[in-house]
């Protein structure tokens, strides 16, 4: 029963958001149609729901008393890329508070999370939800994958702003050093003739919907961060900090070499364990300080990688010190440059 007000001239019927309402609710079946009706955005929930209770308060500040459960659920968040399966939820509603006594889900890769918390439905209410992760798949895309364990906390302040904080240990991460194009393909400058004027607008990326969540997450890994591709086969440790928001995350920290190899001109170089990568959000700001060594009977060649991830600067030195062309000749052909034919 909803409060309403009406007038004949002009003819008008409207709900009153500040006057008391009352009623009951009951649902038993697939939750997705109900979720789509009540929740607007890129978040989706599927599964079997059972809930019942009474409704009070006002439209502006609703209150509910009852029980709710979800079994065999699947949750996805388009804004963050989060995908959960086997979602189980148990909640109790009292007045304007929802107490989540049990929440668990799997990531589809052998990991999962569990948690509990309290959600306040009032306009100025604060909410919090704690999550325990166990080998949970955080990232899974064409660049790489990463699984982590630890505890995280999602809070909503009285002003409605949300914040995700946590301290996670990376169990394993596999990152591909992406190649911009096939080897041997030469990049060419192209001038497009008679290109439609509005084509650039149609190719703009679609802006993501949903409120951004502030981030304050520590990421640590003593090892098992693997970087492979472009001649690299490296294992790293990690000490990183993610801030900003889900819309514009900011990454800082360092990654250090545990062990690894670099293939240069068909020859393998061993990475120096003192190598470090200073992390940042964009490849243009990621700074490299790496070196790899190859020991030959007559020469020790060292490849030094400096600069940024977007524009690495690779130099070749040797012990004893030789000109670059001499070092390259020794590495490539195992002989002096003077012994090579034109």
């Amino acid at each position: 029963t909803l409060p309403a007000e009406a007038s004949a001239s002009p003819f008008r019927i409207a709900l009153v958001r500040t006057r008391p309402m009352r009623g009951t609710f009951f649902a038993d079946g697939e939750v997705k149609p109900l979720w789509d009706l009540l929740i607007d955005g890129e978040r989706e929930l599927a599964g079997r729901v059972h809930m019942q209770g009474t409704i009070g308060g006002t439209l502006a500040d609703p209150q509910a008393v009852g029980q709710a459960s979800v079994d065999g659920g699947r949750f996805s968040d388009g804004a963050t890329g989060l995908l959960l399966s086997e979602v189980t939820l148990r909640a109790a509603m009292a007045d304007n508070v929802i107490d989540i006594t049990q929440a668990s889900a799997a990531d589809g890769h052998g990991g999962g999370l569990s948690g509990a918390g309290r959600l306040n439905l009032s306009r100025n209410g604060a909410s919090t939800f704690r999550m325990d992760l166990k080998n949970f798949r955080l990232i899974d895309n064409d660049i790489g994958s990463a699984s982590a364990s630890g505890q995280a906390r999602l809070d909503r302040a009285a002003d409605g702003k949300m914040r995700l904080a946590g301290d996670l240990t990376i169990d394993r991460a596999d990152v591909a050093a992406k190649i911009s194009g096939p080897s041997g393909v030469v990049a060419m400058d192209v001038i497009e003739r008679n290109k439609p004027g509005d084509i650039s607008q149609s190719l703009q990326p679609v802006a993501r919907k949903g409120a951004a969540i502030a981030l304050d997450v520590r990421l640590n890994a003593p090892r098992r961060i693997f970087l492979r591709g472009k001649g690299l086969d490296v294992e790293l440790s990690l000490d990183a900090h993610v801030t900003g928001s889900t819309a514009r995350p900011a990454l800082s920290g360092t990654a250090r070499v545990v062990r690894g190899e670099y293939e240069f001109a068909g020859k393998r170089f061993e990475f120096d364990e003192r190598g470090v990568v200073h992390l940042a959000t964009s490849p243009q700001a990621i700074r490299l300080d790496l070196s790899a060594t190859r020991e030959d009977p007559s020469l020790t060649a060292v490849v030094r990688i400096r600069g940024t991830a977007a524009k690495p600067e690779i130099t070749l030195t040797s012990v004893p010190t030789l000109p670059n062309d001499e070092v390259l000749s020794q590495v490539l052909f195992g002989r002096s440059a003077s012994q090579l034919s034109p």
Side-chain angles (χ1 to χ4, degrees):
T1 302
L2 300 174
E5 60 182 9
S7 64
S9 180
F11 180 76
R12 178 177 178 269
I13 299 177
L15 298 177
V16 182
R17 296 180 56 83
T18 57
R19 285 170 50 186
M21 65 176 179
R22 66 182 186 274
T24 60
F25 63 89
F26 173 83
D28 188 13
E30 174 58 44
V31 69
K32 191 176 188 306
L34 183 63
W35 178 273
D36 292 342
L37 176 65
L38 300 177
I39 306 297
D40 183 22
E42 294 187 358
R43 298 178 180 89
E44 293 186 359
L45 177 65
R48 183 172 183 84
V49 63
H50 177 79
M51 65 170 65
Q52 61 180 0
T54 59
I55 298 175
T58 66
L59 284 173
D61 292 297
Q63 296 179 355
V65 177
Q67 305 288 329
S69 65
V70 176
D71 293 286
R74 183 178 181 274
F75 177 79
S76 63
D77 185 351
T80 61
L82 179 65
L83 182 61
L84 303 175
S85 61
E86 302 176 30
V87 176
T88 300
L89 182 68
R90 299 289 183 269
M93 295 166 282
D95 296 328
N96 58 353
V97 173
I98 300 177
D99 281 313
I100 301 176
T101 57
Q102 177 189 352
S104 62
D107 63 2
H109 300 277
L113 64 83
S114 59
R118 168 170 285 196
L119 306 181
N120 197 316
L121 302 180
S122 62
R123 285 174 292 178
N124 299 322
S127 303
T128 184
F129 186 80
R130 188 198 76 253
M131 294 172 284
D132 295 304
L133 285 69
K134 184 177 181 181
N135 198 28
F136 184 75
R137 184 67 61 95
L138 294 175
I139 301 171
D140 190 3
N141 54 34
D142 57 347
I143 297 177
S145 62
S147 300
S149 299
Q151 191 173 94
R153 191 181 186 95
L154 181 62
D155 297 313
R156 189 194 72 174
D159 58 4
K161 295 181 179 180
M162 300 183 68
R163 175 177 176 267
L164 176 64
D167 193 346
L168 304 178
T169 298
I170 303 297
D171 298 309
R172 181 187 176 99
D174 293 274
V175 183
K178 292 193 59 99
I179 300 175
S180 58
S183 60
V185 176
V186 180
M188 300 177 61
D189 293 329
V190 177
I191 299 175
E192 298 187 43
R193 302 293 186 187
N194 302 319
K195 182 177 71 173
D198 60 348
I199 191 172
S200 59
Q201 297 180 0
S202 63
L203 296 178
Q204 293 296 321
V206 179
R208 288 178 172 176
K209 301 177 183 179
I213 300 174
L215 298 174
D216 183 11
V217 180
R218 291 278 180 184
L219 299 174
N220 298 280
R223 57 187 311 157
R224 293 175 63 82
I225 308 292
F226 298 100
L227 176 62
R228 296 184 176 96
K230 281 191 163 182
L232 291 170
D233 185 1
V234 191
E235 183 180 1
L236 305 167
S237 64
L238 181 68
D239 182 9
H241 190 200
V242 183
T243 57
S245 69
T246 52
R248 299 187 64 180
L251 175 66
S252 61
T254 57
R256 300 183 181 276
V257 174
V258 175
R259 58 148 201 91
E261 298 177 338
Y262 175 58
E263 184 174 331
F264 176 78
K267 309 295 183 179
R268 289 199 170 274
F269 289 72
E270 295 288 336
F271 267 104
D272 190 326
E273 294 182 359
R274 294 170 295 181
V276 60
V277 178
H278 300 276
L279 303 173
T281 305
S282 65
Q284 293 78 7
I286 297 176
R287 292 180 292 114
L288 308 175
D289 186 3
L290 305 170
S291 63
T293 303
R294 177 179 173 83
E295 299 279 355
D296 283 333
S298 60
L299 183 73
T300 298
V302 180
V303 174
R304 297 190 181 276
I305 306 173
R306 300 293 187 270
T308 68
K311 291 185 177 181
E313 301 170 0
I314 301 177
T315 58
L316 195 61
T317 61
S318 67
V319 178
T321 304
L322 297 174
N324 283 342
D325 58 344
E326 185 66 25
V327 177
L328 191 60
S329 176
Q330 292 280 0
V331 171
L332 289 175
F333 308 108
R335 65 185 68 182
S336 171
S338 61
Q339 298 176 316
L340 300 179
S341 65

